[in-house]
Amino acid sequence: MTFDTQRRDLVAQAFSSCFGGLPSVWCRAPGRVDLMGSHTDYNLGAVLTLPIGRDTWIAARPNSSSEVRLHSLNLGADASFALDSNEKCPEHPWIDYIHGVAVVLQEAGLPLCGFDGVIHSTVPLRSGLSSSAALECAAATVFETLGAWSLDPVEKALLCQRAENHFVGVNCGILDQFTSCMGRQGCALLLDCHNLTSQPVTIAEGIGVVICDTKSQRQLAGSEYGERRAQCENGARLLGASALCELTHEAYISREHELPPIVAKRCRFIIEEHARVAALAAALSAGDHPAIAELTAASFHGASHLYEITSPAMHTMMAAMLAAPGVLGARQAGAGFGGCMVALVQVDQLDEFAAAVRSHYFAATAILPEIYPVSAAAGAGFL
Ligand code: ADP
Ligand code: MG
């Protein structure tokens, strides 16, 4: 039996024991890893992003009511909401991600059907690979299918972002939802968060992407994220720009002295990180190993010294990744503060790389990390 058949059986069985019978609709949406561009999305800059094979499934069946009833296999929990309610669920905050999607879709004038559904995700939760957007985009796809209307994928991404911003209350940029909706099998995306456009980027043969999960909790991620975002917005305002990435590197440097020191540190990271995005896209397509090493090292250095989003576990993981065979470059992923990191590795040495990182990191922390290669997967859709 293939892994997917096993997964399908697991979800179908859970559906049958929760609701009886079988689901009629199977939707999925991927998680993502950013290869370059930490925190550039809300500064309306660029991100090099990879939709990954780890994804969230929702197996659903309309229930002829105005209720959505869900079971999450990852959490072993049940929860429900009424389509005409706007109340969050403090007891099961996870269902707010789907409820929020229902609220914004209805605000956009789209008719929704109640359904019963089982959720199963292979995206680790709260680890920086965006399980939240995968859940939102899979849910929007279920509503779309059952409602018999269709949304442009960029519009779907914007509505899911709106659900997370306004209903869940997380002030994220567009990166996660855009990647989850617009993913294409076989290529990374060079995303322009200002225009909401993307270009496919083919990674040169022989280069693999490896997730290195520190298995350390993302502490303070919420409050620190909000603080970084506010500092960037303050910097942009002081320089008369509507978003930081509107400024060229040159224009920024000539006026950096006008900013308070802490704001200048944050802004400088964003301006430099933004410039590294197109450079890494070019280096990965060309298979330019020295440039990959240099750009990823500079990204981690800036994340550590300027944006200050690294943690001790991330530094240990960085050392483990850089010492392992086959490594071409390594850096943080997601918002930082623990969670997952990402390495670019020669594909003929993936196993040796993973084994070396595991033993190095475990020896230093007594935590067994998860190390696995990922490749580019299609965006939200059907199974
Ligand atoms: P990330 O998006 O990096 O994984 P977030 O904190 O943004 O981390 O989102 C994680 C939250 O999304 C979880 O705590 C949970 O509330 C919700 N979530 C994601 N996937 C699932 C799932 N499969 N089942 C239930 N809730 C989920
Ligand atoms: Mg998230």
Side-chain angles (χ1 to χ4, degrees):
M1 237 184 340
T2 67
F3 173 66
D4 265 14
T5 329
Q6 278 177 24
R7 190 175 170 197
R8 215 179 244 270
D9 288 350
L10 174 81
V11 174
Q13 265 166 29
F15 191 93
S16 158
S17 61
C18 292
F19 307 111
L22 287 171
S24 54
V25 168
W26 294 73
C27 295
R28 59 162 285 284
R32 62 97 191 94
V33 64
D34 51 304
L35 302 178
M36 189 60 78
S38 293
H39 295 256
T40 49
D41 67 340
Y42 56 77
N43 287 297
L44 303 190
V47 189
L48 183 62
T49 174
L50 190 80
I52 58 176
R54 298 242 172 174
D55 60 6
T56 297
W57 289 7
I58 303 181
R61 187 181 60 201
N63 61 15
S64 320
S65 82
S66 56
E67 284 243 319
V68 172
R69 299 190 291 240
L70 291 161
H71 175 75
S72 165
L73 272 165
N74 298 86
L75 301 179
D78 300 292
S80 64
F81 64 88
L83 287 171
D84 60 3
S85 93
N86 267 330
E87 298 278 308
K88 288 174 70 167
C89 179
E91 206 186 322
H92 290 291
W94 60 273
I95 205 173
D96 292 344
Y97 290 88
I98 299 139
H99 191 175
V101 169
V103 168
V104 297
L105 291 174
Q106 291 180 106
E107 281 169 1
L110 296 162
L112 305 189
C113 305
F115 70 87
D116 297 336
V118 168
I119 303 164
H120 181 255
S121 188
T122 53
V123 186
L125 274 58
R126 304 183 60 80
S127 300
L129 300 185
S130 199
S131 68
S132 59
L135 181 58
E136 292 150 8
C137 299
T141 308
V142 171
F143 283 122
E144 184 180 28
T145 311
L146 299 180
W149 36 263
S150 92
L151 271 178
D152 168 73
V154 175
E155 190 61 25
K156 191 192 284 187
L158 285 166
L159 289 168
C160 289
Q161 181 199 18
R162 190 176 168 78
E164 188 154 340
N165 291 167
H166 296 290
F167 194 82
V168 179
V170 174
N171 202 13
C172 59
I174 191 62
L175 168 65
D176 302 352
Q177 292 83 5
F178 188 99
T179 313
S180 192
C181 288
M182 294 293 288
R184 290 209 207 172
Q185 199 145 12
C187 56
L189 297 174
L190 179 54
L191 162 63
D192 176 334
C193 299
H194 179 71
N195 298 325
L196 293 178
T197 54
S198 62
Q199 288 167 32
V201 174
T202 306
I203 299 177
E205 230 171 276
I207 300 176
V209 178
V210 181
I211 303 294
C212 298
D213 188 342
T214 63
K215 291 279 180 179
S216 70
Q217 268 303 316
R218 291 185 303 161
Q219 274 160 13
L220 295 175
S223 56
E224 295 276 345
Y225 181 93
E227 194 178 289
R228 297 299 180 282
R229 186 167 177 157
Q231 288 163 333
C232 290
E233 285 165 358
N234 187 25
R237 195 176 41 79
L238 291 170
L239 298 178
S242 59
L244 211 44
C245 293
E246 252 175 36
L247 300 169
T248 62
H249 189 264
E250 216 175 22
Y252 171 77
I253 296 298
S254 69
R255 295 190 55 195
E256 189 182 53
H257 62 274
E258 296 173 33
L259 300 176
I262 185 86
V263 172
K265 260 170 100 169
R266 307 300 190 232
C267 294
R268 175 174 286 243
F269 171 74
I270 294 298
I271 295 283
E272 291 179 351
E273 181 78 351
H274 175 63
R276 284 189 284 265
V277 174
L280 187 70
L284 282 176
S285 346
D288 180 344
H289 295 183
I292 293 168
E294 201 177 299
L295 291 162
T296 49
S299 179
F300 186 75
H301 188 266
S304 170
H305 293 92
L306 297 174
Y307 221 59
E308 298 179 283
I309 52 170
T310 57
S311 65
M314 290 170 69
H315 284 268
T316 306
M317 182 60 86
M318 188 70 182
M321 295 189 290
L322 290 180
V327 69
L328 300 172
R331 63 185 285 283
Q332 70 283 359
F337 304 106
C340 290
M341 300 183 73
V342 62
L344 297 156
V345 179
Q346 284 183 309
V347 285
D348 55 2
Q349 291 188 74
L350 286 176
D351 291 342
E352 294 87 337
F353 173 85
V357 173
R358 258 181 226 118
S359 71
H360 183 142
Y361 187 80
F362 183 75
T365 61
I367 298 169
L368 198 59
E370 268 199 80
I371 314 294
Y372 47 89
V374 287
S375 47
F382 304 108
L383 276 176

